[in-house]
């Protein structure tokens, strides 16, 4: 789960958010890949839950992950060991596209085309949160009944913001919706465990 950028105690510079999307997220992915290799999890069913400004960090990383090419360890692309295309879902609470160092236009255009599920949640009574959520959803929405369960936006009542969705009594409702969405779009995904070790290192 990526925390909201507003919660940071240090002032974020123009380079900090892009670095989070590359260095920090890649370090987390490296750890998860090691857990995958130990067969403690299936990295092919990866979801990221983000808050506020970190939603654009998550989006940027998801794109980078899907752009990774397999290891050149077999004659054909189909036989090669994959390195990416693991992020299957993004959950965004109170997302904002106004993030230092990240230009949203190309990010959202590319994100829209990824074969992943995206769920956006914001409070309708938090006017700026609702505005940002609607803007983001409009940019990534896919038309058609086949996408109604994989590209979703919920504008909840009240003035809940970012991490507050996962705290207190509200979390009971939020977590239920979240788990239903992730079960359908990630857990039930037909993506069996597959070795992620470059054959050239064996």
């Amino acid at each position: 789960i990526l925390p909201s950028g507003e919660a940071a105690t240090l002032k974020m510079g123009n380079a900090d958010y892009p670095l989070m999307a590359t260095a920090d997220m890649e370090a987390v992915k490296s750890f998860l890949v090691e857990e995958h290799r130990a067969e403690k999890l299936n990295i092919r069913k990866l979801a990221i839950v983000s808050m506020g400004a970190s939603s654009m960090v998550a989006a940027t990383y998801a794109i980078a992950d899907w752009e990774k090419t397999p290891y050149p360890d077999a004659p054909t692309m189909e036989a090669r060991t994959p390195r990416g295309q693991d992020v299957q879902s993004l959950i965004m609470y109170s997302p904002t596209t106004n993030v230092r160092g990240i230009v949203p236009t190309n990010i959202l255009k590319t994100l829209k085309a990824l074969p992943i599920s995206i769920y956006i949640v914001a409070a309708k009574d938090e006017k700026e949160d609702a505005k940002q959520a609607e803007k983001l959803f409009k940019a990534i929405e896919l038309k058609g009944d086949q996408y109604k369960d994989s590209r979703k936006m919920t504008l909840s009542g009240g003035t809940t913001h970012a991490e507050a969705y996962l705290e207190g009594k509200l979390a009971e409702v939020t977590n239920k919706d979240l788990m239903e969405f992730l079960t359908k779009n990630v857990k039930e995904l037909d993506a069996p465990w597959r070795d992620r070790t470059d054959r050239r290192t064996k």
Side-chain angles (χ1 to χ4, degrees):
I1 296 179
L2 293 179
S4 167
E6 291 87 342
T9 56
L10 298 176
K11 185 176 181 180
M12 303 292 284
N14 289 340
D16 290 321
Y17 285 109
L19 281 173
M20 287 173 63
T22 53
D24 291 351
M25 292 298 294
E26 196 55 49
V28 173
K29 174 75 180 291
S30 294
F31 169 77
L32 293 176
V33 168
E34 290 306 312
E35 295 292 288
H36 172 87
R37 287 173 176 152
E39 299 188 42
K40 296 180 180 179
L41 53 81
N42 184 354
I43 195 65
R44 300 180 70 194
K45 297 185 177 185
L46 179 60
I48 302 174
V49 179
S50 59
M51 318 283 178
S54 68
S55 292
M56 288 302 293
V57 173
T60 302
Y61 179 74
I63 292 168
D65 185 63
W66 273 85
E67 289 177 343
K68 290 180 180 178
T69 57
Y71 291 108
D73 60 356
T76 65
M77 289 294 289
E78 293 76 15
R80 292 177 180 177
T81 304
R83 285 191 286 187
Q85 302 187 354
D86 296 313
V87 178
Q88 303 297 340
S89 188
L90 296 178
I91 312 295
M92 302 175 171
Y93 289 104
S94 307
T96 177
T97 59
N98 302 322
V99 179
R100 287 187 175 189
I102 296 179
V103 180
T105 308
N106 291 337
I107 294 295
L108 297 179
K109 181 179 179 180
T110 306
L111 182 66
K112 179 177 181 177
L114 292 185
I116 67 174
S117 60
I118 303 173
Y119 188 13
I120 298 169
V121 182
K124 62 183 179 182
D125 294 328
E126 284 284 348
K127 300 303 182 184
E128 184 59 29
D129 284 6
K131 178 182 176 181
Q132 286 287 317
E134 290 174 333
K135 176 182 177 181
L136 201 159
F137 186 69
K138 183 178 180 180
I140 59 90
E141 182 182 13
L142 295 174
K143 304 293 185 180
D145 288 343
Q146 67 269 39
Y147 301 112
K148 66 179 182 179
D149 293 324
S150 60
R151 295 289 170 97
K152 298 180 66 175
M153 178 179 70
T154 295
L155 293 180
S156 65
T159 57
T160 306
H161 176 75
E163 290 92 340
Y165 276 102
L166 303 180
E167 300 171 350
K169 292 184 178 180
L170 184 62
E172 296 179 11
V173 177
T174 303
N175 289 342
K176 182 177 182 293
D177 291 343
L178 176 64
M179 292 310 298
E180 288 178 355
F181 184 83
L182 292 177
T183 296
K184 180 172 292 187
N185 292 289
V186 180
K187 185 178 180 180
E188 295 177 356
L189 191 68
D190 183 17
W193 188 96
R194 180 178 175 182
D195 189 11
R196 280 307 181 88
T197 304
D198 185 347
R199 293 185 183 91
R200 298 170 301 171
T201 65
K202 295 181 179 179

